[in-house]
Each structure stands twice: as structure tokens, then as C-alpha cells.
């Protein structure tokens, strides 16, 4: 039997806060996957790789046997309460630093609460689209909005550890290979602000349901302006490619080379080989291992090995991508440790690697690369 290579300290370079409220069985189950609809009638999301991983790793930390029935697990969770459950699970992850994208809606903990519950360092990742919405709410004109937006991006760069951009719409290009001109940016901003105001008026008349905010910018030129403004700040920029995978970011990756901004391609699975290839091609591009371990479960080692075939080891970063449930933070960390340890252990057993080299690479991927990219201590 292969002797796995130990993986110690982790830096979770992209995750989200956890819910402050108690959940029923149905609500808990719905948060196990990224599905946008309920499970098919007569089925359950516990019957997924993520569901089985939660039942494997989490019950023992709450005083139950592994793979206990979901209803029993949720009952024990309620006995302990949200805060104690979160503390037990988060502190068992072995994550020393959490980098939190704070742009998700809902009653989620922020960096300070995450640090307290997990006993870790926690830093903020600023979502550009949400920042634009916040600025729009306090700017009366197009010119004021654009001026305030520039100031807000630079102010965020002074305290945040990174920016992220998350628009997923398949008809919106992920990032343009050059900054748009000021005339186009101003026109795009005007269209978006006018649409927001029209939606608000419709809500006040009882004719709409969007509520305050009107949604993140869907104007391509305004989104491009946001991303290129972030590039100019020099902080790392995390990008989700959306439908079609990271190959859609190839032109932007080539255009931003030499600008002093690292690009981190988030959650590329099942297009993980595309992300690894871009990281190999460009010195400033990194591939996030993201939700691979949690989503692929027992197959995590095989998928991880595919990424390691293509990308330089100094260009790979661990993250859980977890949101809402502390269980997902734990599963992401445990599955990653086991998968990486198994892959590297097999290569040591085959004589392809020395054990000391395997341990060094494990430390790079688990935490060292992230500490370098994000300037962590």
C-alpha cells in the first residue's frame, strides 16, 4: 500500500463565509451542490460525491460514527448549535488562512467572524461587480459614478488581498484583451445606471421584483473597465471563466502579461486541463484547484493528477470554494489532503520522485504558492 505524502498547513485562497442560521434537512441538502433546482423526485443530493464525503468526514467531529444517516447528523448538528458546529468543523480543516470572497448574498460570516471560528487569519477578496453596485447606490450622475468607482477600486486595493470577477453569462465575453476607451465606458455606465433607475421605479410602482441594486453590471464595456482597473492596481485578480471554460480567457491572459497583476483562474473543473495549460503558458497565470476535491470525491486523486501533468507546481493553488456550510470547508480540505498525498505518494513509490521533493511540492501547492502570490506572512 502506498504511503501518502503528508500535507500540513493549508491556505484556502478562495472561499466564502458560512451561514449564521440553523438549517433543516432540505435546506442543508440543497447547499451540498451547485445545482439551481431541487433534487429529482425520490432522490437526494446526499447521493453525490460531495454528499458521501460529508457523511464520511464530518460526523466523527460531532461525536457520531462516519456515514451515519443524514437525519441523525442534522439532529446532532442542531443539538450543538450553529456556532459550535462551525468551530469544530472549521478548526479541523488545518487551514491557517482563509481568503474570503465577500460578494455573495445571504447571512454569511465575514472575515473577522471566520477568523474567530476557525482560529485562522482571514482576509477579504473584493468582488468587482458588487463594488460597482455599491458605488452606483451613492452616485447621482454618470461622471460621479465613474470618478467614485475609480476611487473605490483604489481604496479597496489598500486593504483587500485580491479582486475577483464572477460574471457567468455565456453571451458576455469574460474579459477584453484591451481596456475600452473612455467614450465607450461612459456610454456603458450611462446605460446601466439608467436601467437600474428604471427597475427601481418599477419596483416602487409595484411592477417589478428586482428590489434595490438592479443587479451587477451586464454591460461588456463597463465590466472590461472594472477588470482593467483592477489589473492596474497590481493586486491578484481571480477570474471565473463561466461556460466554455478557461480557454475563453486566453486573449485576456496574453494581454495582461507584463502588467504586474497575477491572474488566478478559479474553479475550472471540468475544464481543469485548460486552466493548467494557461498557467503553463503565461508566467502571471495560476490555476486554482478549487472545488475539484469536494466535487469529485473518491475520484479526486485521479483528477488532481491530470492537473499536475500540465501545470508547473509553483502555479497551482489550493482552495475549497466553500460557501454556506462549514461542512464544505472541511470536505474540501480533507479531500484535497488525501488526494494530493495519494498522488505524490504513488510517484514516490514508483521511484519517479524522492519523498523530500514530494513533501516540498505538497507544501508549495497547499500554502506556499498562495502566500507568495497574495503577499501573506
Amino acid at each position: 500500500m502506498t504511503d501518502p505524502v503528508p500535507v500540513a498547513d493549508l491556505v484556502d485562497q478562495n472561499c466564502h463565509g458560512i451561514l449564521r442560521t440553523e438549517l433543516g434537512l432540505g435546506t442543508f441538502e440543497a447547499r451540498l451542490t451547485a445545482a439551481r433546482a431541487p433534487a429529482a423526485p425520490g432522490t437526494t443530493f446526499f447521493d453525490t460525491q460531495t454528499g458521501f464525503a460529508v457523511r464520511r468526514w464530518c460526523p466523527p467531529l460531532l461525536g457520531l460514527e462516519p456515514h451515519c444517516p443524514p437525519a441523525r447528523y442534522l439532529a446532532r448538528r442542531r443539538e450543538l448549535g450553529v456556532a459550535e458546529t462551525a468551530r469544530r468543523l472549521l478548526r479541523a480543516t488545518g487551514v491557517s488562512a482563509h481568503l474570503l470572497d465577500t460578494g455573495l448574498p445571504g447571512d454569511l460570516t465575514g472575515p473577522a467572524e471566520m477568523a474567530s471560528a476557525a482560529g485562522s487569519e482571514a482576509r477579504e477578496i473584493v468582488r468587482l461587480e458588487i463594488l460597482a453596485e455599491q458605488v452606483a447606490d451613492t452616485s447621482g450622475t454618470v461622471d460621479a459614478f465613474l470618478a467614485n468607482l475609480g476611487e473605490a477600486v483604489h481604496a479597496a486595493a489598500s486593504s483587500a488581498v485580491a479582486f475577483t470577477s464572477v460574471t457567468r453569462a455565456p453571451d458576455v465575453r469574460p474579459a477584453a484583451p484591451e481596456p475600452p476607451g473612455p467614450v465607450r465606458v461612459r456610454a456603458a455606465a450611462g446605460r446601466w445606471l439608467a436601467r437600474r433607475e428604471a427597475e427601481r421605479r418599477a419596483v416602487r410602482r409595484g411592477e417589478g421584483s428586482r428590489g434595490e441594486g438592479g443587479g451587477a453590471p451586464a454591460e461588456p464595456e463597463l465590466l472590461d473597465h472594472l477588470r482593467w482597473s483592477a489589473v492596474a492596481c497590481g493586486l491578484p485578480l481571480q477570474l471565473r471563466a463561466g461556460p466554455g471554460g478557461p480557454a475563453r480567457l486566453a486573449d485576456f491572459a496574453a494581454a495582461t502579461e507584463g502588467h504586474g497583476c497575477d491572474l488566478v483562474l478559479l474553479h475550472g473543473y471540468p475544464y481543469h486541463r485548460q486552466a493548467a495549460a494557461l498557467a503553463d503558458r503565461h508566467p502571471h497565470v495560476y490555476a486554482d484547484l478549487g472545488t475539484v476535491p469536494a466535487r469529485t470525491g473518491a475520484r479526486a486523486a485521479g483528477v488532481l493528477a491530470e492537473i499536475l501533468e500540465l501545470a508547473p507546481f509553483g502555479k497551482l493553488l489550493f482552495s475549497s470554494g466553500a460557501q454556506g456550510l462549514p461542512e464544505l470547508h472541511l470536505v474540501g480540505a480533507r479531500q484535497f489532503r488525501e488526494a494530493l498525498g495519494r498522488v505524490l505518494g504513488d510517484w514516490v513509490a514508483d521511484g519517479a520522485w524522492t519523498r523530500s521533493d514530494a513533501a516540498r511540492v505538497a507544501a508549495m501547492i497547499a500554502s506556499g504558492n498562495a502566500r507568495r502570490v497574495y503577499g501573506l506572512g
Side-chain angles (χ1 to χ4, degrees):
M1 183 177 180
T2 299
D3 184 16
V5 172
V7 180
D9 177 44
L10 296 178
V11 171
D12 192 341
Q13 67 99 37
N14 180 271
C15 60
H16 308 271
I18 59 173
L19 287 163
R20 300 184 180 96
T21 53
E22 191 59 80
L23 301 176
L25 182 59
T27 311
F28 182 93
E29 175 189 338
R31 289 185 170 271
L32 289 177
T33 75
R36 298 183 181 274
T43 70
T44 170
F45 284 132
F46 276 100
D47 285 339
T48 59
Q49 291 285 11
T50 303
F52 273 83
V54 166
R55 291 177 58 209
R56 175 190 182 185
W57 294 113
C58 299
L61 294 168
L62 306 191
L64 301 171
E65 72 278 7
H67 300 290
C68 71
R72 186 177 176 203
Y73 177 76
L74 267 292
R76 176 58 175 161
R77 203 180 190 272
R78 285 191 294 273
E79 276 181 31
L80 292 172
V82 172
E84 177 61 14
T85 297
R87 189 190 68 81
R88 291 190 185 194
L89 296 177
L90 291 175
R91 295 197 175 211
T93 62
V95 172
S96 62
H98 290 89
L99 309 188
L100 265 69
D101 173 354
T102 56
L104 288 183
D107 188 24
L108 301 176
T109 56
E113 292 169 280
M114 177 65 78
S116 176
S120 68
E121 176 185 6
R123 301 285 299 277
E124 182 180 16
I125 300 167
V126 171
R127 192 176 290 208
L128 291 170
E129 291 82 0
I130 300 300
L131 185 64
E133 289 188 70
Q134 293 168 346
V135 172
D137 288 338
T138 58
S139 302
T141 67
V142 173
D143 290 333
F145 167 70
L146 291 174
N148 293 341
L149 185 61
E151 292 177 4
V153 170
H154 283 280
S158 67
S159 58
V161 74
F163 290 109
T164 189
S165 182
V166 298
T167 297
R168 298 171 180 268
D171 58 339
V172 175
R173 63 179 180 266
E178 60 182 16
V183 173
R184 291 166 55 200
V185 171
R186 192 179 188 283
R191 289 191 298 271
W192 181 56
L193 293 174
R195 188 166 61 251
R196 282 171 58 89
E197 182 58 28
E199 289 169 354
R200 288 187 174 187
R201 288 176 180 170
V203 170
R204 287 196 291 268
R205 294 193 303 265
E207 299 171 358
S209 60
R210 291 288 300 274
E212 286 192 35
E219 294 288 337
E221 289 87 358
L222 184 53
L223 290 169
D224 290 336
H225 175 67
L226 274 170
R227 292 162 184 152
W228 278 99
S229 296
V231 168
C233 286
L235 283 187
L237 174 59
Q238 300 181 347
L239 293 169
R240 288 170 174 80
R248 298 177 71 219
L249 293 167
D251 290 345
F252 186 69
T256 52
E257 189 169 327
H259 282 253
C261 170
D262 289 327
L263 303 182
V264 182
L265 308 182
L266 293 178
H267 313 334
Y269 184 80
Y271 305 101
H272 48 288
R273 295 178 70 87
Q274 292 181 10
L278 280 175
D280 179 46
R281 191 174 307 143
H282 300 287
H284 68 306
V285 175
Y286 292 78
D288 167 53
L289 300 177
T291 54
V292 165
R295 290 184 64 185
T296 55
R299 277 284 301 144
V303 178
L304 193 57
E306 292 178 357
I307 301 173
L308 293 170
E309 291 173 5
L310 293 170
F313 309 127
K315 307 294 287 299
L316 298 174
L317 305 168
F318 162 74
S319 81
S320 68
Q323 58 177 276
L325 302 179
E327 284 82 357
L328 297 180
H329 285 268
L330 179 74
V331 165
R334 289 287 177 91
Q335 295 280 113
F336 171 77
R337 273 201 178 88
E338 184 175 85
L340 183 61
R342 190 189 312 165
V343 170
L344 298 184
D346 285 344
W347 294 346
V348 171
D350 288 344
W353 290 36
T354 66
R355 195 162 187 84
S356 61
D357 277 339
R360 181 172 56 83
V361 169
M364 289 166 56
I365 297 173
S367 60
N369 294 337
R371 291 191 179 281
R372 183 182 75 253
V373 170
Y374 297 104
L376 305 177

